[in-house]
Amino acid sequence: MRYPPADREPVTDLLHGQRVPDPYRWLEDPGGHRTRAWLAAQDELWRAHAGGLTSRAWFRERCAALADTGDVEAPVWRGDRRFHTRRAPGREHPVLHTALGAGPERALLDPGTLDPTGLTTLDAWHPDPTGRLLAYQTSTGGTEEAELRVLDVATGAVVDGPIDRCRYSPVAWLPDGAGFYYVRATGPDGARRVHLHRFGAPADADPVVFTAGDDPAVGYGLGISHDGRWLAVSASPGTAPRNDVWLADLAYGDPAVPRFRPVLRGRDARAVPLVGHDGRMLVVTDLDAPRVRLCVADPADPARWTELLPEDPAAVLADVALLDGPEPGRPVLLVARLRDAAGELAVHDAATGERLADVPLPGRGTVGALSTRPGGGHEAWFTYTDVATPPTVWRYDARTGETTPWAAPPGHLTVPPVRTRQAVAVSADGTPVRMTVIDRPGDHGPRPTILYGYGGFGMPLVPSYAADALAWVEAGGVLAIAHLRGGGEDGLHSHRAGTLDRKQDVFDDFLAAARALVDDGWTTPDRLAVWGESNGGLLVGAAVTQRPDLFAAAVCVAPLLDMVRYERSGMGAAWREEYGTVTDPAQFACLYGYSPYHRVRPGTDYPAVLFATFGGDTRVDPLHARKTCAAMQWATAGTRPVLLRHEERVGHGARSAARGLDLAADLLAFAAAHTGLRAGPAPAGGPPGPVAERTAPGQRFSG
């Protein structure tokens, strides 16, 4: 394959006595004429290759059909009014609907109406306590740089805003709907602060009510009790697994000058407080409990806690809902946990913490956030999903103990049969690595396989419905999901075991999973693809540069790859708690040691690699993929292609349904072509099976 020319320049940094070459630094400039010309040539090369991927059309058709269920979310209640999003089959974006009680629902906010181009997304929405007003945030082109507006729910008219620099801001409404607390980047260098906005007032005059300093990496959380009396504010340094939390009593004094008292401060832990209808403050925390426990306190003395639900040694506490209406007979807690990477629900006595009952679920899947009526009651709503079940809303009734379907996705389809099994690999230091392996019932022997992983930021990989994953399995492929250190499947200890100087352990876990898939007969190296996105793209980059012989193909989506300079672009400065900083000599040595861009070696037979980047990505700058793609194209000694798929006006995760289908089809077809899986029309008597397909010698999966 003839790759576009890319100058290797003699650029070298001297960091802590180490010479660090960076021959493709010129590709960091997206507007430079050389970068634009190089990107155009890469796009032409990708399109030529994509045109020969014979399974591309089939994958798009199957992904479209399997994704045509639509979407529905659990309701959010304010008074007698409910709000929830629903995406009808064939629609580009979810639409926010509202209804009074059990009455008919109506569309309230439709991104397709706001912007017929499909480039505007509804990023967040927050109704006021009465359900009369709605604060909502939208962004365009995938940038996630949101503007906040206020809408009159009865008329649909915008009555306040826009307020800019409100990227994914939490919103805490005052009880009378006269204003709200929110987070806006108004400090030096974009540092965020908590402001109070009075309805109709100019945003630039909104007073700052809380700040934890001028570090732009600090993120804030907000919460307010149903009666509007207690305001909670949390501050966390970037993505660090710790925060400081304060509580203010708004019953006294000016809401613009709240008097905060510490709930948790200066501890290597996290806490989320909630003042319930019974006047107690519930505190969900991993302080002295890496799998999380529940404590209670008097909000007037918020730093003095009493344990109510101790840590479960084998499950991570994920969510708690208080059902304290008069109907149940006694207040209870509905508690969601994650056990062995699958969700469970249990009922506990709200006063003693005693476990009273388990709540039956449809299967081994994932339980979404618990939703209740703010005024109290016996009901809770949540979504449930697994690998073969689109997210469906269920209702739990504390009076009867029954769980019943409340809302199903609006589309109808037949899901292909799948088989899910558990496997275990052993990492380099002896740590067991769990895998979830999904394939087609009745298939046996080595087959084209995709190994997927993430391993970072405490994010667990849990069972969920994904059209692209089902399409791969339906075509006869195997999908293996590795549960790695750095993720959140086993709580805080598991997360921290894969951060900073322990990041290599995550890569070792992933490589061990790949070797186990081969050793256990699931696949062979010439039929194994590795796939990751964002932090998972770093995982893929590390795996391919450390063990290129182990894989036939790699799909690397929106990846971090230059770990020496990752802090300088996108949201990298907020991720120092996860990866470290090059300003520290020891952390620099770790970062440079595994940085995929710097580990590319000439004369190596690399797998077929497809980098996918997005021009609107404000989290991970596409420069990472550009530089590493150029380096790998220069270095590879094999004939398998190294390609770049770039898309403008799309962000890190926000994209229209049509663009998402195009991306999934391209990535799946690439993986299929280079692992020997051919997907096409079903042969008589059964679904399509693995057939040899090779090119000239030579992808959050969305779920």
Side-chain angles (χ1 to χ4, degrees):
M1 181 166 286
R2 298 175 63 88
Y3 294 116
D7 295 334
R8 288 181 60 83
E9 297 183 342
V11 176
T12 302
D13 293 323
L14 185 63
L15 299 173
H16 307 294
Q18 173 74 52
R19 295 180 62 83
V20 181
D22 189 1
Y24 298 106
R25 185 170 296 177
W26 58 273
L27 280 170
E28 292 185 3
D29 178 11
H33 71 276
R34 288 193 296 169
T35 302
R36 294 198 306 269
W38 182 86
L39 265 179
Q42 294 291 342
D43 184 62
E44 183 178 346
L45 186 64
W46 158 247
R47 291 182 183 279
H49 185 80
L53 299 176
T54 58
S55 61
R56 191 180 180 203
W58 186 88
F59 274 121
R60 195 190 192 287
E61 179 183 350
R62 290 306 296 146
C63 286
L66 292 166
D68 208 27
T69 61
D71 299 308
V72 64
E73 290 188 347
V76 171
W77 292 89
R78 293 295 182 266
D80 290 331
R81 182 174 291 279
R82 72 178 191 268
F83 301 82
H84 71 275
T85 59
R86 181 189 301 274
R87 183 180 65 84
R91 294 297 298 266
E92 290 288 283
H93 297 287
V95 176
L96 179 62
H97 291 78
T98 187
L100 278 171
E105 64 181 40
R106 62 181 173 88
L108 183 61
L109 263 178
D110 182 354
T113 300
L114 296 175
D115 179 6
T117 69
L119 296 175
T120 294
T121 57
L122 178 61
D123 295 340
W125 48 273
H126 310 271
D128 84 327
T130 67
R132 181 177 61 88
L133 298 171
L134 180 92
Y136 70 96
Q137 297 160 56
T138 57
S139 62
T140 302
T143 62
E144 302 174 304
E145 299 292 350
E147 292 183 330
L148 187 153
R149 294 173 173 83
V150 178
L151 176 146
D152 184 293
V153 173
T155 66
V158 174
V159 293
D160 199 4
I163 305 175
D164 63 359
R165 292 169 284 168
C166 293
R167 180 180 185 132
Y168 290 110
S169 168
V171 171
W173 280 92
L174 295 174
D176 57 1
F180 52 83
Y181 298 97
Y182 72 107
V183 177
R184 191 181 186 205
T186 57
D189 299 321
R192 287 168 286 188
R193 296 168 171 176
V194 179
H195 294 257
L196 173 63
H197 179 70
R198 295 288 188 177
F199 186 68
D204 288 342
D206 289 345
V208 175
V209 299
F210 186 88
T211 177
D214 292 332
D215 184 351
V218 172
Y220 294 93
L222 296 175
I224 197 165
S225 60
H226 174 62
D227 60 7
R229 177 175 177 178
W230 302 99
L231 172 68
V233 174
S234 67
S236 177
T239 56
R242 64 176 185 274
N243 64 4
D244 291 339
V245 186
W246 296 264
L247 192 71
D249 187 349
L250 301 180
Y252 305 98
D254 185 350
V257 193
R259 298 176 62 184
F260 289 100
R261 301 180 67 183
V263 176
L264 178 74
R265 192 170 185 185
R267 303 296 297 272
D268 192 15
R270 295 169 294 190
V272 178
L274 168 68
V275 179
H277 316 106
D278 58 1
R280 296 186 305 171
M281 182 178 72
L282 301 177
V283 183
V284 179
T285 182
D286 56 18
L287 178 65
D288 301 322
R291 293 180 183 265
V292 189
R293 59 182 175 140
L294 179 66
C295 299
V296 294
D298 181 346
D301 190 8
R304 190 184 298 274
W305 309 345
T306 301
E307 186 173 83
L308 181 60
L309 294 183
E311 175 188 30
D312 186 316
V316 180
L317 194 154
D319 200 3
V320 175
L322 175 64
L323 301 180
D324 61 349
E327 296 91 343
R330 60 174 170 173
V332 297
L333 296 169
L334 187 62
V335 180
R337 293 182 175 90
L338 188 66
R339 190 181 303 274
D340 294 332
E344 67 175 29
L345 278 177
V347 181
H348 293 255
D349 186 283
T352 67
E354 177 190 359
R355 188 166 183 147
L356 303 175
D358 294 332
V359 176
L361 295 174
R364 179 182 166 81
T366 299
V367 175
L370 304 176
S371 176
T372 60
R373 294 179 185 269
H378 60 277
E379 301 167 289
W381 292 262
F382 60 90
T383 58
Y384 171 85
T385 181
D386 57 40
V387 295
T389 306
T392 301
V393 181
W394 291 74
R395 172 183 171 272
Y396 171 74
D397 189 328
R399 299 172 304 178
T400 64
E402 293 181 346
T403 305
T404 54
W406 187 80
H412 301 280
L413 79 161
T414 300
V415 176
V418 298
R419 174 176 55 185
T420 301
R421 289 176 280 182
Q422 303 299 311
V424 178
V426 179
S427 194
D429 62 359
T431 300
V433 182
R434 297 198 309 272
M435 285 189 288
T436 300
V437 184
I438 307 165
D439 68 347
R440 200 168 57 182
D443 286 354
H444 302 283
R447 284 155 284 161
T449 297
I450 289 175
L451 173 61
Y452 180 83
Y454 189 78
F457 297 95
M459 180 182 296
L461 293 183
V462 293
S464 58
Y465 183 86
D468 47 3
L470 283 174
W472 176 264
V473 172
E474 183 183 17
V478 176
L479 170 62
I481 300 170
H483 304 288
L484 312 170
R485 279 176 281 189
E489 290 91 335
D490 296 309
L492 182 61
H493 283 172
S494 174
H495 175 202
R496 288 184 170 161
T499 61
L500 301 174
D501 61 340
R502 299 172 292 278
K503 196 66 180 176
Q504 181 59 44
D505 291 336
V506 182
F507 310 144
D508 289 344
D509 289 356
F510 201 50
L511 294 171
R515 290 192 300 270
L517 290 170
V518 173
D519 293 343
D520 294 346
W522 291 99
T523 191
T524 55
D526 65 338
R527 284 180 279 188
L528 177 58
V530 62
W531 185 314
E533 303 160 11
S534 192
N535 174 77
L538 167 62
L539 178 70
V540 167
V544 167
T545 53
Q546 293 182 23
R547 284 296 307 274
D549 58 303
L550 202 49
F551 309 104
V555 173
C556 198
V557 183
L560 281 165
L561 296 168
D562 181 350
M563 298 308 292
V564 173
R565 292 172 63 82
Y566 85 92
E567 300 166 82
R568 298 169 174 262
S569 61
M571 294 181 65
W575 301 334
R576 292 174 178 135
E577 295 277 346
E578 183 78 13
Y579 302 119
T581 175
V582 296
T583 61
D584 179 277
Q587 292 179 1
F588 158 73
C590 292
L591 289 163
Y592 184 50
Y594 69 73
S595 176
Y597 171 58
H598 298 94
R599 287 187 66 105
V600 175
R601 299 290 183 263
T604 302
D605 184 5
Y606 284 107
V609 180
L610 177 57
F611 298 97
T613 60
F614 313 104
D617 193 340
T618 58
R619 298 194 202 184
V620 179
D621 196 303
L623 70 85
H624 289 269
R626 290 196 298 265
K627 293 170 64 174
T628 308
C629 178
M632 201 169 284
Q633 288 179 344
W634 165 79
T636 187
T639 54
R640 292 175 291 192
V642 176
L643 300 166
L644 177 70
R645 181 195 189 275
H646 181 73
E647 190 173 0
E648 288 293 341
R649 306 208 71 183
V650 175
H652 193 76
R655 60 183 62 92
S656 68
R659 289 195 175 202
L661 290 171
D662 289 340
L663 176 65
D666 285 352
L667 303 185
L668 287 167
F670 180 85
H674 297 286
T675 58
L677 178 68
R678 181 174 182 179
V691 177
E693 179 191 47
R694 295 285 184 184
T695 57
Q699 91 312 104
R700 146 355 175 201
F701 279 82
S702 61

